[in-house]
Amino acid sequence: DQQVKQNSPSLSVQEGRISILNCDYTNSMFDYFLWYKKYPAEGPTFLISISSIKDKNEDGRFTVFLNKSAKHLSLHIVPSQPGDSAVYFCAAGGDFGNEKLTFGTGTRLTIIP
Amino acid sequence: DGGITQSPKYLFRKEGQNVTLSCEQNLNHDAMYWYRQDPGQGLRLIYYSQIVNDFQKGDIAEGYSVSREKKESFPLTVTSAQKNPTAFYLCASRNRGADTEAFFGQGTRLTVV
């Protein structure tokens, strides 16, 4: 049972435009969420996080939005740059204080110059 | 420099052999994780440990074993019972508690020959 889902395997966006990556989850007990960026044959690097008490968190070009009622979060990147081309993973944790961290299947973002 | 180190970067194993992947962190993190990445499958959790001498099965623990005798170390053994061991393995660590990021190693590519 996939508790964290990223339904778009890939996304292409023109340089300078906004990239929107989506993530859905099924476990209502998750209380924090994270986004990671990954290049091939490397470990993921942390981008931004949000706790369930917030609905928005912003850090530079990256903004994460959380809609708890819909069990949905999204990552906005604006403006998109060629270096943003990578695979993006969302992750969720915090179920009853358990340290388990569950990742989605990833979305490959390609920025078109 | 603080960080998390996985070794080796590439590993070849003959069918029927056990092999151990190393993961060491000097970040003083309590929680450590092992994930496996396959094409199109995202990051799937194998095992995680919330504290020394404790570990929990993740979503795909069959054919794997771990130990957590020291805070800094969380080795993963891929046993001969693992049917499809060829994959990219990622180790991570983080502080316990909500809304803390996980730091990843650079990964180990295991190939069964």
Side-chain angles (χ1 to χ4, degrees), chain A residues 64-113:
Chain A
V64 56
F65 295 91
L66 176 62
N67 182 333
K68 289 187 289 294
S69 61
K71 297 190 182 66
H72 176 84
L73 64 154
S74 61
L75 174 69
H76 292 209
I77 306 173
V78 56
S80 299
Q81 300 173 353
D84 296 330
S85 294
V87 177
Y88 289 77
F89 290 97
C90 63
D95 183 0
F96 289 109
N98 190 304
E99 300 300 326
K100 184 177 181 181
L101 198 58
T102 301
F103 280 76
T105 49
T107 297
R108 180 176 301 279
L109 175 66
T110 302
I111 305 302
I112 305 165

Side-chain angles (χ1 to χ4, degrees), chain A residues 2 31-34 36 38 41-46 49-51 87 89 97-106, chain B residues 9 31 33 35 37 40-43 45 48 50 59 88 90 94-106:
Chain A
Q2 187 74 28
D31 62 10
Y32 60 90
F33 306 88
L34 309 96
Y36 282 81
K38 186 182 182 300
E42 294 184 7
T45 54
F46 170 76
S49 65
I50 189 167
S51 76
V87 177
F89 290 97
N98 190 304
E99 300 300 326
K100 184 177 181 181
L101 198 58
T102 301
F103 280 76
T105 49
Chain B
K9 190 169 177 64
Y33 306 81
Y35 292 90
Q37 185 185 18
Q41 298 260 23
L43 301 181
L45 182 63
Y48 66 106
Q50 300 181 116
D59 301 313
F88 188 56
L90 287 158
R94 59 188 283 270
N95 280 320
R96 294 189 68 178
D99 206 12
T100 59
E101 65 181 276
F103 293 82
F104 280 84
Q106 289 301 297

